[in-house]
């Protein structure tokens, strides 16, 4: 994996592909690589949909190898939603395939001179780029079916639906899963709109004839992988909780904590939560049965398998097992307690290519504006369909919660840097509020994840009970997360790393045995710091300053029932996060 | 069931809180009833004891199980860090869960290093205690705790609010009519759909299940 595929979509005479060596980017992968390229090559003040922006798609450092959990993929660009740097990541098969083909990244550059749509085919023999305007305004599902008919069943696809073609700021990029369905999305920040602006509808990847990447030290690699897998399997979260219930296991717990944003962040608990909880979802899926119903991986090589497949009551495939954030966004946040309706909306989001968190938050804002009643599932489905149709209302909704709030005159809009907050009310879990406010990505729950700060050697030196302690924790978590994102590992490895030092060591051994490097925990921390610094610097130059590291002020003023609390971390404290 | 001390009686079925409904159901519908356990069921307790005493001494849950598997605990919606010093008063709601994923999960975990991130919803011992108006505590089981402890508790009988039972039967009538082999209310045979017609008033109902494998 030592080359970068650059496709200049604006070249004279049509799109032009060239293969570069990694050069200065050697040693980077995943978010480390996307952010390095964007920070170095994209002018921070450019318009995100202009020819100057670049879309970078990068497998993780270990993708394409047989290392467990290594198949996540990062997408980076300047975000049309936040105006800052963006990394959104996804599961699915393309990461492993691109890794095996030797690509550390695909970079889409420039912009087509005419308003044409292209498909890109990549295999061991090279790259083929074809104009194909027949793909215009196809949903991701129909599009993938067409690609299967054309290129066979052994491919993987990276694609956009209608939302990306319309360049809406809520548009995602779809990655096909093991069943060749477009269910895994780099959702956040409008990355799909940037792919749309490049005129690329789909990238088809075929790794036939390629072998798994071989490690520098195969024996040590095998040993470390074995230890790493054993660590994941023995931990109750990764070995039992996630495979049994999926990420939606959080619904009951966050609701009990009074931190479950309900009806556009008006309440901290949802009456209908039990009907849409992970426990109910798993039981429903198990009862309905079907291939991969309650426990399934989003890519080959996933040991945890937090995903699944959602079938309707008659056994027809609807969508993948809907994740916690989506169940919340389209469920409790809109007052909807019907799992089947939520699954239908998830399917529509995946088909049109929309970020489920952004869309759920947007519909809730629209409900608050009076476009529909909270709890009206059919109205929510209709709103998403408007986006697919590209009606005026649909284009507004597809542009996200901030735009919709402005157009509809709603003051309670839960966004930071223009991006909608995920499924945890920052008044209930204030440390998450610090991360929402100060993340380089806009409000993002994965920006400061649960990798142990003490294990990673960046532990809090201040009293953890003080406000400064919260700030320091959030900072350390953001650093650790950036480092894990660079490996291409799924963030759900975090818990075993947190609790089991030997599993964390196995991960470092795995990276070293693969690459021949001699990384220590401190080096991993430095990697995380350097990624965050680059991202922060890009944002500053793009005009996002400390004044943008704030939650909307109603979080400081409106008390959240049932605990009746407000967000208490001061602006001065928030400003300390990036002091490192 | 190895997570429970068998010598402990979970609930007295002769308790005067309300009527007793015994059902014999097919094993494949048992999991459906776990929804009732996440909504909460009542247990009678000695007031003013610690969480550890309540769960281990009074309900018979093994100490190792509490320490190792029950990683996330809420008392009246506040995350608990110390099961020995936190006192459970009458009418309290105690929710029990395994370890949870994600930053939020790590933050809510008992005594975790990220506990400070949810200071505003942490249980503090100086919190005003709930008034002593009843003699029960509501227990909620979530996720792995339901899977581990649910079968034993529900087979020995759990006290439910009548409305909770009514709503559960109403929304799952079709499955229950298929999966319930027989039911008795205070010893009298009853059909599942007849439960909907009974006025239990404000009382609790003791639901006890036995399972029978599909024939
Ligand atoms: S744990 Fe879940 S999100 Fe992570 S790689 Fe596996 S299926 Fe995908």
């Amino acid at each position: 994996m030592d080359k970068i595929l650059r496709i200049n979509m604006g070249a004279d005479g049509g799109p032009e592909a060239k293969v570069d060596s990694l050069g200065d980017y050697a040693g980077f992968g995943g978010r480390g690589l996307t952010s390095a390229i964007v920070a170095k090559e994209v002018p921070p003040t450019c318009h995100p949909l202009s020819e100057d922006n670049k879309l970078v798609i990068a497998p993780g450092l270990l993708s394409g190898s047989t290392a467990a959990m290594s198949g996540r993929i990062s997408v980076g660009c300047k975000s049309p939603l936040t105006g800052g740097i963006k990394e959104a990541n996804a599961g699915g098969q393309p990461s492993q395939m691109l890794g095996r083909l030797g690509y550390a990244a695909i970079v889409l550059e420039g912009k087509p001179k005419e308003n044409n749509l292209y498909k890109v085919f990549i295999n061991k023999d090279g790259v083929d780029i074809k104009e194909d305007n027949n793909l215009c305004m196809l949903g991701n599902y129909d599009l993938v079916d067409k690609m299967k008919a054309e290129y066979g069943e052994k491919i993987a696809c990276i694609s956009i639906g209608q939302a990306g073609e319309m360049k809406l700021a809520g548009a995602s990029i779809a990655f096909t899963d093991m069943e060749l369905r477009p269910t895994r999305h780099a959702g956040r920040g409008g990355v799909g709109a940037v792919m749309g602006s490049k005129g690329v509808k789909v990238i088809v990847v075929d790794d036939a004839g390629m072998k798994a990447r071989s490690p520098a030290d195969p024996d040590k690699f095998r040993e470390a992988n074995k230890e790493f897998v054993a660590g994941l399997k023995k931990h109750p979260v990764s070995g039992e909780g996630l495979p049994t219930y999926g990420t939606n296991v959080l619904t009951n717990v966050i609701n009990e904590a009074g931190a479950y944003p309900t009806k556009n962040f008006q309440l901290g608990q949802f009456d209908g939560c039990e009907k849409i909880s992970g426990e109910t979802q798993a039981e429903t899926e198990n009862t309905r049965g079907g291939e991969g119903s309650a426990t399934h991986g989003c890519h080959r090589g996933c040991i945890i398998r937090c995903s699944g497949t959602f079938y309707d009551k008659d056994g027809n495939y609807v969508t993948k097992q809907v994740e916690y954030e989506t169940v919340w966004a389209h469920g409790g946040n809109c007052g909807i307690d019907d799992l089947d309706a939520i699954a239908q909306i998830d399917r529509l989001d995946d088909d049109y290519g929309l970020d489920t968190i952004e869309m759920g938050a947007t519909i809730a804002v629209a409900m608050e504006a009076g476009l529909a009643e909270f709890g009206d599932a059919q109205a929510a489905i209709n709103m998403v369909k408007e986006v697919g149709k590209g009606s005026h209302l649909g284009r507004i909704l597809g542009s996200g919660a901030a735009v919709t709030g402005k157009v509809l005159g709603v003051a309670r809009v839960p966004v930071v840097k223009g991006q909608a907050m995920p499924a945890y009310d920052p008044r209930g879990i204030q440390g998450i509020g610090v991360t929402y406010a100060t993340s380089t990505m806009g409000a993002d729950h994965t920006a400061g994840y649960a990798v142990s700060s003490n294990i990673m050697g960046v532990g809090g030196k201040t009293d953890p009970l003080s406000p400064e302690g919260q700030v320091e924790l959030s900072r350390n978590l953001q650093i650790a997360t950036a480092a894990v994102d660079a490996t291409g590992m799924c963030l759900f490895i975090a818990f075993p790393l947190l609790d089991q030092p030997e599993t964390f060591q196995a991960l470092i051994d795995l990276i070293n045995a693969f690459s021949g490097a001699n990384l220590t925990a401190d080096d991993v921390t430095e990697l995380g710091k350097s990624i965050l610094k680059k991202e922060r610097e890009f944002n500053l130059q793009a005009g996002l300053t400390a004044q943008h590291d704030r939650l909307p002020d109603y979080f400081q003023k409106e008390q959240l029932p049932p605990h009746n609390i407000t967000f208490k971390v001061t602006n001065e404290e928030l400003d300390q996060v990036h002091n490192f | 069931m190895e997570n429970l001390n068998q010598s402990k009686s979970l609930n007295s079925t002769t308790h005067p809180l309300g009527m007793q409904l015994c059902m014999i159901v097919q094993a494949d519908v048992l999991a459906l009833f776990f929804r009732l356990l996440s909504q909460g069921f009542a247990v009678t307790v000695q007031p003013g004891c610690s969480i550890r005493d309540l769960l281990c001494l009074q309900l018979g849950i093994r100490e190792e199980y509490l320490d190792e598997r029950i990683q996330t605990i809420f008392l009246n919606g506040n995350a608990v860090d110390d099961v020995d010093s936190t006192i459970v008063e009458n009418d309290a709601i105690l929710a029990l869960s395994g370890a949870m994923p994600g930053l939020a999960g790590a933050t809510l975990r008992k005594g975790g290093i990220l506990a400070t991130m949810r200071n505003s919803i942490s249980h503090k011992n100086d919190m005003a205690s709930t008034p002593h108006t009843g003699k029960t505590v509501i227990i909620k089981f979530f996720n792995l705790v339901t899977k581990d402890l649910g079968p034993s508790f529900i087979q020995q009988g759990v006290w439910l609010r009548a409305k909770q039972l009514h709503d559960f039967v109403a929304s799952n009538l079709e499955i229950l009519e298929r999966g319930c082999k027989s039911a008795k209310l205070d010893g009298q045979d009853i059909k599942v759909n007849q439960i909907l017609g009974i006025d239990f008033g404000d009382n609790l109902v003791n639901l006890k299940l036995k399972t029978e494998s599909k024939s």
Side-chain angles (χ1 to χ4, degrees):
Chain A
M1 224 171 69
D2 52 4
K3 54 189 180 184
I4 295 178
L5 170 63
R6 290 180 185 267
I7 303 178
N8 178 3
M9 297 304 297
D12 292 333
E16 210 172 73
K18 72 169 180 170
V19 176
D20 268 358
S21 70
L22 263 172
D24 287 351
Y25 299 123
F28 289 105
R31 175 172 168 187
L33 187 52
T34 61
S35 288
I37 294 177
V38 174
K40 188 168 172 199
E41 301 182 17
V42 174
T45 51
C46 75
H47 193 286
L49 303 178
S50 74
E51 63 275 17
D52 290 332
N53 199 3
K54 298 191 180 190
L55 187 80
V56 186
I57 301 171
L61 279 175
L62 298 179
S63 297
S65 76
T66 54
M69 313 300 301
S70 63
R72 303 284 298 184
I73 195 161
S74 290
V75 178
C77 59
K78 176 171 175 173
S79 161
L81 192 70
T82 68
I85 198 163
K86 174 53 64 182
E87 187 264 356
N89 76 53
Q93 288 300 98
S95 185
Q96 304 282 24
M97 288 194 174
L98 285 173
R100 281 194 283 270
L101 286 163
Y103 292 109
I106 301 173
V107 185
L108 302 182
E109 308 176 338
K111 199 175 175 176
K113 299 222 166 8
E114 309 291 333
N115 200 16
N116 286 325
L117 211 49
Y118 292 88
K119 65 186 171 203
V120 177
F121 178 70
I122 305 172
N123 70 359
K124 68 178 179 8
D125 302 320
V127 182
D128 184 33
I129 306 164
K130 279 202 182 90
E131 189 184 302
D132 190 347
N133 290 318
N134 291 324
L135 306 179
C136 193
M137 293 305 267
L138 282 183
N140 280 310
Y141 274 86
D142 285 346
L143 173 69
V144 169
D145 280 347
K146 270 194 166 232
M147 294 304 106
K148 274 198 278 193
E150 194 170 336
Y151 297 104
E153 303 266 340
K154 300 228 162 105
I155 53 167
C157 296
I158 303 169
S159 63
I160 54 171
Q162 295 90 332
E165 279 190 63
M166 290 185 275
K167 304 178 203 67
L168 302 179
S172 63
I173 296 178
F175 294 79
T176 49
D177 57 21
M178 292 192 283
E179 288 71 35
L180 204 34
R181 291 170 177 148
T183 58
R184 310 292 149 179
H185 288 243
R188 311 242 61 200
V191 291
V194 178
M195 187 157 160
S197 75
K198 305 293 174 204
V200 176
K201 178 74 177 171
V202 59
I203 300 170
V204 180
V205 188
D206 181 351
D207 67 346
M210 301 302 292
K211 291 205 178 90
R213 293 167 66 206
S214 33
D217 186 332
D219 291 339
K220 276 196 184 147
F221 178 80
R222 207 173 307 116
E223 207 38 53
N225 201 25
K226 212 166 116 195
E227 176 79 16
F228 181 56
V229 168
L232 298 179
K233 286 198 164 159
K234 78 174 179 210
H235 194 278
V237 171
S238 51
E240 207 178 347
L242 281 169
T244 309
Y245 302 108
T247 54
N248 195 19
V249 69
L250 282 164
T251 293
N252 272 330
V253 172
I254 304 295
N255 193 62
E256 192 66 22
Y260 189 76
T262 300
K263 299 185 179 171
N264 193 28
F265 287 74
Q266 294 184 49
L267 307 166
Q269 281 182 330
F270 178 44
D271 284 346
C273 124
E274 183 268 321
K275 290 190 184 151
I276 58 172
S277 70
E279 290 88 330
T280 301
Q281 186 179 19
E283 180 225 312
T284 306
E285 287 169 352
N286 282 326
T287 308
R288 290 179 183 178
E291 188 74 24
S293 51
T295 305
H296 200 50
C298 72
H299 70 270
R300 279 191 197 98
C302 169
I303 300 298
I304 300 175
R305 300 191 304 150
C306 77
S307 193
T309 315
F310 196 93
Y311 298 94
D312 68 15
K313 58 182 176 17
D314 301 318
N316 302 307
Y317 167 82
V318 180
T319 186
K320 85 277 193 187
Q321 173 174 288
V322 189
E323 290 180 40
Y324 169 62
E325 268 76 23
T326 307
V327 172
W328 160 77
H330 287 302
N333 194 41
C334 295
I336 294 170
D337 64 3
D338 178 347
L339 269 180
D340 284 291
I342 293 166
Q344 262 189 67
I345 301 176
D346 182 70
R347 166 64 180 258
L348 291 172
D349 284 342
D350 281 359
D351 199 31
Y352 301 145
L354 287 164
D355 175 23
T356 56
I357 296 175
E358 197 64 46
M359 278 316 294
T362 302
I363 291 170
V365 166
M367 285 175 162
E368 178 150 344
L371 257 60
E373 294 288 319
F374 282 109
D376 186 342
Q378 192 53 52
I381 291 170
N382 293 343
M383 282 195 233
V384 182
K385 285 186 173 168
E386 288 299 311
V387 184
K389 281 190 260 176
S391 67
H392 291 163
L393 173 64
R395 283 173 186 254
I396 291 167
L397 297 171
S399 299
V403 167
T404 301
K406 271 188 193 152
V407 173
L408 299 178
V410 177
R412 191 186 289 109
V413 182
V415 298
V416 177
K417 302 184 182 85
Q419 179 169 287
M421 284 178 197
Y424 317 86
D425 196 297
R427 288 163 289 193
I429 307 177
Q430 308 235 330
I432 290 191
V434 175
T435 302
Y436 284 170
T438 61
S439 154
T440 48
M441 299 291 151
D444 188 342
H445 62 296
T446 64
Y449 222 66
V451 180
S452 165
S453 46
N454 59 0
I455 287 176
M456 294 198 81
V458 290
K461 305 220 170 18
T462 54
D463 173 8
L465 292 173
S466 66
E468 306 88 66
Q470 295 210 359
V471 163
E472 180 149 346
L473 273 173
S474 175
R475 174 198 305 144
N476 294 340
L477 290 166
Q478 290 190 51
I479 291 168
T481 301
V484 173
D485 280 345
T487 65
M489 293 277 174
C490 171
L491 272 174
F492 288 127
I493 64 173
F495 251 110
L497 298 192
L498 175 74
D499 288 340
Q500 300 159 188
E502 71 280 9
T503 310
F504 181 63
Q505 189 54 48
L507 173 64
I508 294 189
D509 293 346
L510 194 63
I511 297 171
N512 287 339
F514 186 78
S515 61
N518 203 8
L519 289 178
T520 62
D522 284 349
D523 297 328
V524 176
T525 304
E526 280 312 310
L527 172 65
K529 276 189 187 170
S530 78
I531 294 171
L532 272 193
K533 278 191 170 158
K534 279 191 193 95
E535 292 171 348
R536 175 84 174 158
E537 187 53 36
F538 182 94
N539 280 358
L540 285 173
Q541 289 183 32
L544 293 175
T545 65
Q547 302 312 313
H548 297 88
D549 287 348
R550 302 286 182 259
L551 299 186
D553 64 355
Y554 71 88
F555 286 101
Q556 276 112 19
K557 291 181 190 154
E558 283 185 17
Q559 293 192 335
L560 179 75
H563 293 297
N564 298 324
I565 35 177
T566 55
F567 185 67
K568 294 254 187 289
V569 183
T570 65
N571 292 343
E572 292 69 35
E573 285 156 2
L574 291 175
D575 289 342
Q576 295 309 308
V577 170
H578 288 285
N579 278 346
F580 61 88
Chain B
M1 174 49 157
E2 61 189 21
N3 301 312
L4 293 171
N5 289 316
Q6 287 303 326
S7 57
K8 300 292 170 194
S9 160
L10 300 181
N11 264 306
S12 161
T13 52
T14 56
H15 200 284
L17 286 173
M19 297 174 102
Q20 186 177 68
L21 177 65
C22 295
M23 296 172 90
I24 299 177
V25 298
Q26 283 174 194
D28 63 348
V29 297
L30 182 66
L32 183 68
F33 287 86
F34 291 166
R35 293 185 192 184
L36 293 164
L37 305 185
S38 26
Q39 289 169 349
F41 58 95
V43 293
T44 52
V45 288
Q46 303 293 325
C49 64
S50 70
I51 291 179
R52 184 181 297 281
D53 285 354
L54 170 75
L55 296 179
C56 301
L57 294 179
Q58 301 193 41
L59 298 183
I61 295 171
R62 283 189 189 279
E63 299 222 9
E64 311 81 77
Y65 184 84
L66 168 61
D67 293 333
E68 282 158 28
R69 294 277 281 184
I70 303 181
Q71 288 289 330
T72 315
I73 300 179
F74 298 97
L75 183 60
N76 299 322
N78 297 294
V80 169
D81 288 307
D82 185 352
V83 293
D84 293 301
S85 65
T86 307
I87 304 301
V88 187
E89 303 286 358
N90 285 340
D91 288 341
I93 299 174
L94 185 67
L96 310 174
S97 157
M100 289 291 97
L103 175 55
T107 303
L108 293 170
R109 198 172 187 187
K110 69 179 181 209
I113 57 157
L114 305 181
T116 177
M117 294 181 86
R118 42 89 174 152
N119 238 350
S120 57
I121 56 159
S122 295
H123 181 86
K124 299 177 185 68
N125 272 335
D126 58 357
M127 278 180 165
S129 49
T130 29
H132 289 226
T133 55
K135 290 185 176 152
T136 55
V137 165
I138 301 292
I139 306 275
K140 294 182 181 181
F141 285 170
F142 295 146
N143 50 71
L144 297 177
V145 178
T146 320
K147 199 168 136 226
D148 294 340
L149 303 181
S152 304
F153 271 74
I154 211 157
Q155 279 166 26
Q156 297 195 50
V158 289
W159 289 103
L160 305 171
R161 283 171 290 115
K163 178 166 184 329
Q164 182 189 359
L165 178 72
H166 182 280
D167 291 352
F168 174 76
V169 173
S171 50
N172 298 289
L173 191 58
E174 206 180 302
I175 305 171
L176 293 175
E177 286 188 319
R178 173 185 58 76
C180 177
K181 294 290 178 191
S182 66
K184 283 188 195 299
L185 186 66
D186 274 356
Q188 304 289 312
D189 285 336
I190 187 171
K191 292 215 163 20
V192 173
N193 63 356
Q194 290 176 315
I195 296 171
L196 296 175
I198 292 175
D199 181 8
F200 294 100
D202 289 336
N203 289 336
L204 298 176
V205 182
N206 189 262
L207 174 70
K208 196 170 184 176
L209 293 188
K210 278 200 183 119
T211 52
E212 185 186 273
S213 36
K214 247 183 185 170
S215 51

